[in-house]
């Protein structure tokens, strides 16, 4: 879809469809007021008659209104005027886009710039609007035959803003498009099944991305390289798989080389059967999503390169499968990580931390300013925070605070769990430096405790995205989270 921003009068707008907003409790948005005046109160009477209540994303299409140049006017509900939040804002745009798509409109102009969300300026509003529209149009049907998509897909969306905000809105629009492109790449990679999206496939996608952007250089470490580096923990997981593991590194240079990078590390487990500690059959297909952390890193690198943010970012994705096999890890096996610390593998299904710990040691060489890892690490995280919120833990409170703030700003929210010393003893092992599991309680915290033993030399935060990276059920699919949070964090950093 193509986007534009412009500044014009709603009644003079001719082409396509025009979208105007109404709030709950009979309040009209700016453009709706003008249309109401031009039509002798038609909008007000629709509201009074209860044809539309104004709930976020509710719509009705109106045709051939007198005094309005545009043939079609779409009314969209915008919720309570003073209480619109990031989620409500997205619903407004996705509601409008879905109705437009069904109605066969190919281009539309949205008069919704008077919506306000606390803390958002014109740049952020436009960026969020574009990302919401793109998300609403996202489909994953590349593996279905004979799917044609919408009858007449929308080709162009114009966002109307006031004259003074044109420049900021233009920036926001470009950022929003880049973020949306990053998110849809993340979602595509995640939705692809394990037989297609293997570690090798992820590596090829990263390489292709690197070829598109001069600012991005991609390097892939093979198992032989990892062996030389002593990555015994990562390699112990891939030993049970016929697909060779890959360690994908993507270096983005947006400013002077001397500026220390943000390093993102994403779990890229392309299928997690549990290994010898095999998972139950129910919903095991969803373990193709165990590479969502890695897909997030790749999506973010794409968006960062497209925007050209003036910062340095390194993305690292350790990628493997976790399958049962004659050569797979067995409960009780002891492996040696790149850091030299030994690990007793008491449960082969706690494999994410095994591939991450070596990647986290590896990234020391980038002299990171901060390291953030993203992983669908524990089922316990879903029990604790549900599908709404991702967990964040780490060793540097200002970093955690900034991530939580970026989540608030975008509606892609995270919540901190404690990482106190007293949890560490749950990882005690009789035979090695640590066990890879910490017992029944506080599973998300003990997983982070494990990673904390590999991240002592830099500022670090870990996000457990097991609950937020995809949705189950009839609408099963990847969400693209937490690309918005991370992009906001990086944009905030770049503007400092
Ligand atoms: N990939 C899973 C975590 C997961 C489970 C994410 C369900 C989303 C939904 C991870 O590798 C895993 O299996 N974790 C185990 C850890 C346990 C053995 C300590 C878990 O959460 O059960
Ligand atoms: Mn597992
Ligand atoms: Zn896993």
């Amino acid at each position: 879809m193509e986007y534009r921003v412009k500044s014009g009068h709603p009644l003079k707008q001719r082409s396509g469809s025009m979208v105007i907003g109404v709030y709950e409790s009979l309040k009209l948005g700016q453009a709706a007021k003008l249309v109401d005046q031009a039509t002798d109160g038609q909008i007000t009477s629709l509201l009074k008659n209860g044809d539309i209540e104004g709930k976020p994303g509710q719509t009705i299409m109106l045709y051939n209104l007198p005094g309005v140049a545009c043939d079609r006017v779409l009314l969209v509900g915008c919720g309570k005027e003073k209480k619109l939040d990031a989620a409500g804002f997205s619903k407004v745009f996705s509601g409008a886009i879905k109705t437009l798509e069904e109605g066969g409109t190919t281009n539309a102009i949205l008069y919704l710039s008077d919506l306000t969300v606390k803390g958002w300026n014109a740049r952020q509003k436009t960026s969020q609007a574009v990302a919401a529209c793109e998300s609403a149009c996202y489909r994953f049907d590349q593996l279905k035959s004979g799917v044609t998509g919408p009858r007449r897909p929308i080709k162009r969306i114009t966002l109307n803003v006031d004259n003074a905000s044109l420049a900021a809105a233009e920036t926001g629009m470009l950022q929003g498009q880049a973020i949306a492109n990053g998110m849809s790449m993340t979602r595509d990679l995640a939705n692809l099944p394990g037989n297609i999206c293997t570690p090798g496939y992820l590596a090829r996608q990263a390489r292709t991305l690197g070829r598109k952007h001069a600012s991005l250089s991609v390097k892939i470490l093979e198992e032989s390289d990892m062996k030389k580096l002593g990555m015994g923990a990562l390699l112990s997981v891939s030993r049970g798989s016929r697909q060779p593991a890959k360690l994908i590194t993507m270096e983005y240079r947006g400013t002077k080389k001397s500026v220390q990078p943000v390093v993102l590390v994403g779990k890229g487990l392309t299928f997690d059967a549990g290994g010898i500690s095999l998972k139950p059959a129910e919903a095991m297909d969803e373990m193709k999503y165990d590479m969502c952390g890695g897909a997030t890193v790749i999506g973010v690198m794409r968006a960062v390169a497209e925007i050209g943010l003036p910062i340095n970012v390194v993305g690292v994705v350790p990628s493997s499968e976790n399958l049962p096999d004659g050569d797979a890890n067995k409960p009780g096996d002891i492996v040696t990580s790149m850091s030299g610390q030994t690990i007793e593998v008491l449960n082969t299904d706690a494999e994410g931390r095994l591939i991450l710990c070596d990647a986290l040691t590896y990234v020391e060489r980038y002299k990171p300013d901060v390291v953030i890892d993203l992983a669908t690490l524990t089922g316990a995280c879903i029990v604790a925070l549900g599908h709404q919120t991702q967990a964040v833990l780490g060793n540097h409170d200002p970093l955690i605070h900034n991530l939580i703030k970026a989540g608030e700003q975008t509606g892609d929210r995270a919540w901190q769990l404690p990482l106190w010393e007293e949890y560490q003893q749950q990882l005690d092992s009789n035979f090695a430096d640590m066990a890879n599991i910490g017992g029944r309680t506080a599973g998300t915290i003990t997983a982070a405790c494990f990673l904390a033993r590999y991240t002592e030399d830099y500022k670090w935060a870990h996000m457990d995205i097991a609950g937020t990276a995809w949705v189950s059920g009839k609408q099963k699919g990847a969400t693209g989270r937490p690309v918005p949070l991370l992009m906001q964090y990086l944009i905030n950093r770049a503007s400092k």
Side-chain angles (χ1 to χ4, degrees):
M1 209 137 64
E2 191 192 311
Y3 292 86
R4 286 193 188 168
V5 292
K6 78 170 217 189
S7 183
H9 196 282
L11 300 182
K12 302 207 176 100
Q13 181 56 42
R14 301 206 144 268
S15 65
S17 301
M18 165 169 123
V19 181
I20 60 177
V22 295
Y23 296 104
E24 274 175 62
S25 54
L26 309 177
K27 281 211 64 180
L28 306 182
Q30 264 169 27
K33 272 186 202 145
L34 295 172
V35 173
D36 198 48
Q37 281 158 16
T39 58
D40 287 329
Q42 283 206 25
I43 310 293
T44 310
S45 56
L46 282 169
L47 284 169
K48 283 205 177 121
N49 295 341
D51 291 283
I52 180 164
E53 293 159 281
K55 294 241 181 302
Q58 242 189 353
T59 56
I60 20 174
M61 185 69 104
L62 309 170
Y63 298 90
N64 304 318
L65 290 177
V68 181
C70 206
D71 296 340
R72 288 186 268 200
V73 174
L74 182 71
L75 269 193
V76 59
C78 300
K80 299 206 177 74
E81 188 181 9
K82 300 261 149 56
K83 284 199 180 151
L84 193 65
D85 60 5
F89 185 88
S90 288
K91 276 192 201 153
V92 172
F93 286 85
S94 59
I97 292 299
K98 282 184 184 141
T99 309
L100 290 172
E101 222 173 32
E102 282 160 20
T105 301
T106 56
N107 66 76
I109 176 156
L110 277 47
Y111 286 88
L112 297 170
S113 66
D114 53 321
L115 296 187
T116 53
V117 174
K118 210 169 130 219
W120 287 9
N121 53 22
R123 181 202 57 75
Q124 177 122 24
K125 275 200 286 190
T126 316
S127 159
Q128 299 274 350
V130 170
C133 293
E134 286 291 294
S135 249
C137 297
Y138 176 83
R139 281 190 185 70
F140 184 79
D141 41 29
Q142 50 178 284
L143 300 174
K144 285 187 171 177
S145 39
V147 172
T148 50
R151 190 163 50 92
R152 295 178 71 207
I154 305 174
K155 290 210 187 80
R156 190 198 303 147
I157 300 277
T158 306
L159 300 159
N160 193 80
V161 299
D162 58 53
N163 229 316
S165 312
L166 271 174
E170 181 85 29
T171 308
M173 179 190 79
L174 295 172
Q175 289 183 350
Q177 278 179 292
I179 295 168
N181 290 343
M183 277 177 88
S184 68
M185 181 161 188
T186 299
R187 293 170 85 176
D188 280 349
L189 290 171
N191 284 327
L192 283 169
N195 64 327
I196 295 175
C197 184
T198 58
Y201 182 90
L202 278 183
R204 285 193 296 280
Q205 296 306 304
R207 271 227 173 83
T208 308
L209 191 60
R211 276 196 290 270
K212 276 202 199 112
H213 298 279
S215 55
L216 198 60
S217 55
V218 175
K219 198 174 69 193
I220 313 292
L221 300 195
E222 304 295 333
E223 289 191 344
S224 54
D225 305 315
M226 296 184 235
K227 197 162 171 206
K228 281 186 208 129
L229 289 162
M231 295 187 167
L234 195 165
L235 289 169
S236 79
V237 176
S238 78
R239 262 206 344 261
S241 155
R242 298 187 190 184
Q243 295 292 335
K246 306 279 173 181
L247 188 76
I248 304 164
T249 65
M250 293 163 279
E251 286 182 61
Y252 168 78
R253 267 284 305 280
T255 183
K256 292 190 303 270
K257 203 172 171 182
S258 57
V259 177
Q260 288 177 284
V262 173
V263 174
L264 304 174
V265 178
K267 173 178 175 184
L269 221 293
T270 58
F271 190 79
D272 179 13
I276 297 298
S277 314
L278 191 62
K279 286 183 182 295
E282 197 194 326
M284 206 209 264
D285 67 291
E286 294 189 10
M287 282 301 118
K288 73 178 183 181
Y289 289 120
D290 212 15
M291 35 60 74
C292 280
T296 296
V297 171
I298 297 174
V300 166
M301 296 311 290
R302 172 173 172 172
V304 166
E306 281 187 16
I307 298 174
L309 282 180
I311 50 174
N312 294 330
V313 186
V314 179
V316 174
V317 181
S319 183
S320 169
E321 294 183 321
N322 185 28
L323 295 174
D325 177 84
D327 200 30
N329 266 334
K330 303 173 291 297
D333 282 3
I334 294 178
V335 300
T336 304
S337 63
M338 181 179 175
S339 72
Q341 300 177 91
T342 57
I343 306 161
E344 187 183 14
V345 182
L346 289 175
N347 188 319
T348 68
D349 198 9
E351 84 298 336
R353 57 199 83 182
L354 296 177
I355 69 168
L356 285 168
C357 71
D358 281 341
L360 288 167
T361 301
Y362 180 75
V363 300
E364 281 171 15
R365 69 191 52 212
Y366 294 108
K367 308 252 176 319
D369 180 42
V370 299
V371 177
I372 304 162
D373 81 75
L374 304 315
T376 48
L377 204 60
T378 63
C381 187
I382 312 175
V383 177
L385 295 174
H387 296 285
Q388 293 85 343
T389 310
Q390 40 233 347
V392 57
L393 309 93
N395 63 15
H396 190 67
D397 279 330
L399 169 61
I400 293 170
H401 169 84
N402 288 336
L403 291 171
I404 292 174
K405 196 178 90 194
E408 287 285 351
Q409 281 176 289
T410 51
D412 182 12
R413 288 190 292 191
W415 197 252
Q416 185 176 10
L417 295 179
L419 190 56
W420 293 319
E421 186 57 34
E422 53 205 293
Y423 292 99
Q424 283 288 354
Q425 41 114 0
Q426 288 182 234
L427 295 174
D428 286 350
S429 155
N430 282 354
F431 306 105
D433 296 339
M434 71 197 78
N436 77 328
I437 52 170
R440 252 173 35 78
T441 59
T444 304
I445 296 172
T446 54
C449 280
F450 182 97
L451 300 179
R453 297 179 182 214
Y454 298 83
T455 54
E456 285 179 354
D457 292 342
Y458 46 70
K459 298 177 228 162
W460 159 74
H462 157 67
M463 285 178 50
D464 196 327
I465 58 170
T468 53
W470 76 91
V471 291
S472 314
K474 219 170 146 43
Q475 300 289 329
K476 192 189 296 181
T479 59
R481 291 180 70 183
V483 173
L485 178 154
L486 291 167
M487 287 308 298
Q488 187 65 41
Y489 169 76
L490 295 173
I491 289 168
N492 290 347
R493 255 185 96 100
S495 62
K496 276 223 184 87

